[in-house]
Amino acid sequence: MVFETAGTAELFLLARVLFGGVLAFTGLNHFTGAEGMIPYAEAKGIPFPAASVYGSGGLLVFSGLLLVLGAYPVVAAGALAVFLIASAVAMHDFWAVPEDQQQDEMTQFLKNVAMAGGAIALLSVAGTAWPYSLGVGVF
């Protein structure tokens, strides 16, 4: 992929900053809001709920920042895509909650699926040189 059109490289950087930045911020919330997230994870039947909340927070912070920096984009985008799909199904099972909770869970489910789509889009171009990036990676 070549960023030849005027402003394309800058728009791609902006997209990385917005996408990765929001995910990193969300990850920070896993640490600052753990006291509310751990019981929620436990109620959803997630094994080792505290470790899962902190681990997923770390994944979101680390992978989000890697995308912003353009470092290890295959690893970062791939990890985020898998995590976002898995957490959509495991945590936001709108089909299995009482009717008064279905809309909130569906919104969170769809948010995760949409962000997984963004991660997959970045993964699809992760093997190419990214403008304004550290340029280090597996491939």
Side-chain angles (χ1 to χ4, degrees), residues 5-101:
T5 308
T8 304
E10 291 75 16
L11 286 174
F12 188 68
L13 173 62
L14 177 62
R16 287 177 15 226
V17 169
L18 293 173
F19 186 74
V22 165
L23 288 167
F25 180 78
T26 301
L28 288 175
N29 285 338
H30 283 225
F31 294 98
T32 61
E35 68 281 345
M37 291 183 175
I38 292 169
Y40 180 70
E42 190 172 31
K44 290 292 185 171
I46 302 300
F48 310 106
S52 296
V53 167
Y54 290 120
S56 61
L59 178 121
L60 289 165
V61 169
F62 191 64
S63 295
L65 291 176
L66 286 177
L67 290 178
V68 169
L69 297 171
Y72 299 98
V74 171
V75 174
L80 285 167
V82 169
F83 167 75
L84 289 165
I85 298 267
S87 66
V89 173
M91 297 297 293
H92 305 299
D93 53 347
F94 64 91
W95 56 89
V97 298
E99 189 174 339
D100 64 329
Q101 298 173 18

